[in-house]
Amino acid sequence: MLAIPELTAAARAQLQGLIGTSTRGAQDLLDRFDRWGHDLIEAFAQLYPIETALPQLIEVMAAAHLHRDEELQQRDRERVLEQDWFQSEKTIGYVAYADLFAKNLKGINKRIPYLKDLGITYLHLLPILKPRPGANDGGYAVMDYRALREDLGSMKELRSTADKLHDSGISLTLDLVLNHVAQEHEWAEKARAGDPTYRDYFYVYPDRTIPDEFEKTLLEVFPDFAPGNFTWDDKLQGWVWTTFNSYQWDVNWSNPAVFCEYADIIANLANHGVDCIRLDAIAFMWKRMGTICQGEPEVHVITQALRAFARILCPSMIFKAEAIVGPAQVGAYFGEGQHAGKVSDLAYHNSLMVQIWSAIAAKDTSLMVHTMSRFSGLPNTTAWGVYLRCHDDIGWAIDDTDAHEVGLNGHDHRLFLAEYFEGNFFGSLATGQPFMPDPVNGERRTSGTGASLAGIEKAIKLKDEKLLNQAIDRYLCAYTMVFGFAGIPLLYMGDEIGLLNDHSYLKDETKKEDNRWIHRPKMNWRVADAAAAGELDDKPAGRIYNRIKHVIDVRKSLPSLHASVATTVRAGSGKGVVIFDRKHPAGDLIEVYNLSESSRWLGSQELSGMTGKVTDHLTGHTFEIGNGVPLAPYEVRWFSKA
């Protein structure tokens, strides 16, 4: 095989020959190939017979470039000059189901002014690509990557929506399922029809010999309703790998044709104006006997190659890894060692989400502080996606070792958190629901909206004003931590007005067996519009909306929250107080959170020598710190030197 420099030169020559030198943006593309071509070919060569597979990939790149219009190419040029756009303190995320938010893409277009007024600059629409009919894992069983759900709109309308979002300063994120396709996908249908080319797009075995060997170490994602990792298919006359559900077939990423297919899919989405791809189920992409087949090294090699492909073709696009893993594993999805800074641009900070809820339940931040200390620094070109709630359940990812080191039993603490947020623990106002209980150890995950888990729903039912005020303060304290951590804060649809659990899913035959739909309510536009218009200032929805909008405005004014600098987490005096330190050339920021129902005292020594006059950016007050300041229950302060 030729050396990487020779392969790179040959690929560049092929690319230039395909696009010419006079086509629109040709030199830009070639310049970007000079910058990122080595990263692409270095990774690609680790996976595939490159001298035969690489020319096919270059053909995909050239064809996609020739279909990329001038408007998007100009966006590429601007983003090349502002590659840290997603790290900016001004980047504010919003996550929504398109149909539940505004019925369809045309409805979303009408709601762009609402998002802009709230301060949103990044919109993630949960799965909108065409899923299989019937059960489809919430849209993650895709049967056509080049079409949308028919009730949402067309690909042409997607491009129109992207343009309208861009005009309002909002970037668009979509999901791309990498690990599997629906059994109705064209590739699967051709495999079933006996086409050997497409049969090799999947893992198919004639008997249980190899599947049984894999099963010895594999975990089960949905043991209750999708046990095992392989499904017999009569038309295939074989056992096909199905990690998630029997109708979701895992694709074979060891086949270079599969890589080229997905590169072309990414290019097509980019050419429809998509700015960020959420790489769904990324951890499961590579299979190796004797392992759990999650997070294998090749996953990160594949991601480097895909990212380099996108950097060359459409540098305005970034990648977000859907990697719900522990502190020791998550760094690899940003890139470590030879892949540092070359893999995903964003990843979810699942641990922070879990630790916020854990600290609220325990009224103790010691586990949070210890767990957060285990996260090493990220490449300074990347950022966290930070969230309090999402469309999924909460898995109580408490590491046994972390728990032990702060005097807790991991199993017992996970059980406590489930009990607490189901409202079964004394003093809890939470109204969550158990999800996927383990019949052996009793551990389970939790479903519920953020507002309901914080106790707002129960307080309203009890008609107790004091408890309601406390629950709202608790909820807003938690969300302010999300906005203050740096990275992209992700506001889940309706959380800005405190939407509560929605039990109407029980009336829907396609949803009633999955209680995660309890925290996927339709957007209440009557309330949202009234809150945004200032008509509900004395009501819970209006109070929540105003506070979140205020925190967004404050965050955007603080360069210290640019994500290129990491947040350090430490304990304050007294259980329940946690401090986020932001050491930044633009000015240090010290954020203080009281995650307890009791008042606390913040001593001046806890402000790391920030004596004399300080400014609390959340209130706008400047004052002498003296010996310290009091903290009311669930009070938040963002301090800097005046």
Side-chain angles (χ1 to χ4, degrees):
M1 186 180 78
L2 295 174
I4 298 298
E6 286 77 12
L7 287 166
T8 304
R12 188 188 191 280
Q14 180 192 357
L15 181 62
Q16 183 171 345
L18 290 169
I19 66 172
T21 56
S22 59
T23 56
R24 183 184 61 247
Q27 191 57 52
D28 291 335
L29 183 72
L30 293 171
D31 287 345
R32 294 195 297 264
F33 190 91
D34 291 338
R35 168 61 182 84
W36 286 292
H38 182 274
D39 290 349
L40 170 64
I41 292 167
E42 175 190 56
F44 202 73
Q46 294 180 50
L47 301 166
Y48 307 119
I50 193 165
E51 291 176 330
T52 56
L54 183 59
Q56 181 184 354
L57 182 62
I58 297 301
E59 289 177 5
V60 169
M61 181 183 294
H65 167 74
L66 293 174
H67 285 92
R68 191 160 178 81
D69 63 35
E70 175 57 32
E71 187 173 354
L72 290 176
Q73 289 197 30
Q74 180 58 32
R75 192 168 179 81
D76 290 334
R77 297 182 192 106
E78 293 168 359
R79 285 272 167 92
V80 164
L81 297 176
E82 191 187 4
Q83 292 184 39
D84 66 341
W85 65 268
F86 62 92
Q87 297 178 294
S88 170
E89 67 280 0
K90 294 179 172 59
T91 300
I92 308 293
Y94 196 90
V95 183
Y97 283 98
D99 56 340
L100 298 177
F101 182 66
K103 191 176 180 179
N104 53 32
L105 292 180
K106 290 180 180 177
I108 287 171
N109 294 345
K110 295 176 182 178
R111 291 299 179 178
I112 290 174
Y114 171 86
L115 295 172
K116 185 176 181 179
D117 289 346
L118 183 57
I120 302 305
T121 64
Y122 166 110
L123 175 63
H124 175 189
L125 295 178
L126 289 161
I128 67 172
L129 300 181
K130 187 175 181 178
R132 71 187 297 269
N136 55 43
D137 191 21
Y140 290 100
V142 178
M143 67 177 290
D144 189 347
Y145 287 111
R146 298 177 184 279
L148 305 187
R149 271 177 44 185
E150 293 175 359
D151 60 315
L152 298 180
S154 65
M155 292 298 286
K156 183 178 180 181
E157 288 175 306
L158 175 65
R159 174 59 195 273
S160 176
T161 296
D163 288 344
K164 288 179 171 63
L165 288 167
H166 294 167
D167 290 344
S168 294
I170 302 174
S171 298
L172 175 62
T173 295
L174 294 186
D175 294 272
L176 177 61
V177 185
L178 294 176
N179 179 68
H180 48 264
V181 299
Q183 65 184 17
E184 292 81 6
H185 192 282
E186 178 187 11
W187 304 340
E189 293 288 359
K190 288 182 176 179
R192 281 174 151 174
D195 188 326
T197 296
Y198 287 94
R199 189 180 179 92
D200 196 36
Y201 276 36
F202 304 98
Y203 299 94
V204 185
Y205 304 98
D207 56 44
R208 288 290 310 189
T209 303
I210 295 178
D212 285 346
E213 283 299 309
F214 273 111
E215 290 282 20
K216 290 177 182 179
T217 54
L218 293 177
L219 306 177
E220 292 182 339
V221 177
F222 299 129
D224 284 2
F225 49 81
N229 289 274
F230 297 85
T231 300
W232 174 261
D233 186 88
D234 286 334
K235 292 183 179 179
L236 278 177
Q237 280 298 291
W239 292 90
V240 61
W241 200 312
T242 55
T243 296
F244 288 82
N245 288 287
S246 61
Y247 52 77
Q248 290 166 296
W249 291 12
D250 289 32
V251 294
N252 177 11
W253 277 90
S254 67
N255 182 345
V258 168
F259 183 100
C260 290
E261 293 273 18
Y262 276 93
D264 196 36
I265 290 165
I266 288 170
N268 185 54
L269 291 173
N271 283 350
H272 281 84
V274 178
D275 300 285
C276 177
I277 293 291
R278 175 182 177 270
L279 304 174
D280 184 75
I282 184 175
F284 298 85
M285 292 165 61
W286 198 267
K287 319 301 186 186
R288 176 168 284 113
M289 187 76 76
T291 73
I292 63 172
C293 296
Q294 293 185 39
E296 289 297 298
E298 288 83 357
V299 167
H300 313 301
V301 181
I302 291 169
T303 312
Q304 176 179 318
L306 287 174
R307 180 182 181 272
F309 173 89
R311 279 292 191 273
I312 297 165
L313 175 68
C314 47
S316 58
M317 174 182 277
I318 60 171
F319 286 179
K320 176 166 62 176
E322 190 251 343
I324 309 304
V325 296
Q329 294 81 39
V330 71
Y333 292 87
F334 288 110
E336 295 176 333
Q338 65 176 328
H339 304 299
K342 299 180 181 180
V343 189
S344 293
D345 305 280
L346 298 168
Y348 289 103
H349 207 321
N350 179 68
S351 291
L352 178 64
M353 181 268 293
V354 170
Q355 291 301 327
I356 290 173
W357 290 115
S358 173
I360 286 172
K363 302 173 181 61
D364 185 346
T365 62
S366 56
L367 180 59
M368 172 189 281
V369 171
H370 179 75
T371 301
M372 292 300 101
S373 71
R374 292 185 55 203
F375 286 86
S376 57
L378 307 180
N380 62 10
T381 56
T382 63
W384 290 112
V386 189
Y387 60 110
L388 184 66
R389 283 299 290 119
C390 69
H391 69 288
D392 221 337
D393 58 275
I394 299 177
W396 297 113
I398 304 296
D399 184 83
D400 285 338
T401 301
D402 287 346
H404 175 75
E405 289 176 353
V406 296
L408 297 172
N409 177 287
H411 168 70
D412 291 347
H413 192 63
R414 291 188 291 272
L415 284 177
F416 158 69
L417 292 175
E419 289 285 330
Y420 185 92
F421 288 106
E422 291 165 22
N424 298 329
F425 196 86
F426 178 76
S428 170
L429 293 177
T431 51
Q433 297 286 320
F435 182 71
M436 297 290 288
D438 187 314
V440 177
N441 62 28
E443 293 188 22
R444 62 268 192 198
R445 288 127 73 173
T446 301
S447 297
T449 69
S452 290
L453 295 180
I456 294 174
E457 179 180 351
K458 184 69 172 290
I460 290 173
K461 288 181 179 178
L462 293 173
K463 298 181 179 179
D464 189 314
E465 194 68 22
K466 181 179 179 181
L467 289 178
L468 178 59
N469 290 337
Q470 187 180 82
I472 291 173
D473 288 344
R474 181 186 300 121
Y475 180 67
L476 291 172
C477 176
Y479 246 119
T480 306
M481 296 177 79
V482 169
F483 284 101
F485 194 78
I488 299 182
L490 301 170
L491 186 63
Y492 185 62
M493 183 192 81
D495 278 4
E496 74 274 20
I497 54 172
L499 285 188
L500 305 177
N501 286 344
D502 177 12
H503 296 271
S504 66
Y505 78 97
L506 293 168
K507 300 175 184 178
D508 187 330
E509 290 296 323
T510 66
K511 297 177 180 177
K512 69 178 185 179
E513 300 301 324
D514 185 348
N515 72 16
R516 289 176 297 179
W517 288 102
I518 201 171
H519 54 252
R520 300 167 182 172
K522 283 187 177 180
M523 186 64 168
N524 188 329
W525 283 110
R526 179 184 60 81
V527 172
D529 287 339
E535 298 169 4
L536 300 176
D537 291 354
D538 60 341
K539 304 295 184 183
R543 293 164 59 188
I544 292 168
Y545 179 91
N546 290 338
R547 174 65 180 273
I548 285 181
K549 189 175 189 307
H550 172 67
V551 173
I552 288 172
D553 291 341
V554 172
R555 175 194 156 89
K556 287 186 171 185
S557 72
L558 295 172
S560 301
L561 284 168
H562 189 283
S564 59
V565 171
T567 298
T568 302
V569 180
R570 59 186 168 96
S573 62
K575 289 185 177 180
V577 177
V578 68
I579 299 173
F580 290 178
D581 287 317
R582 300 282 307 154
K583 301 290 186 183
H584 197 282
D588 293 346
L589 188 67
I590 297 178
E591 306 171 17
V592 183
Y593 303 91
N594 181 7
L595 286 166
S596 73
E597 297 169 357
S598 304
S599 297
R600 293 286 188 266
W601 178 261
L602 177 73
S604 58
Q605 72 280 3
E606 295 178 81
L607 295 181
S608 302
M610 194 177 282
T611 57
K613 283 190 176 182
V614 298
T615 296
D616 175 11
H617 294 277
L618 292 173
T619 63
H621 295 158
T622 297
F623 55 92
E624 291 281 347
I625 194 67
N627 293 324
V629 293
L631 293 175
Y634 301 109
E635 187 167 17
V636 178
R637 303 271 194 157
W638 285 2
F639 289 118
S640 69
K641 186 72 175 172

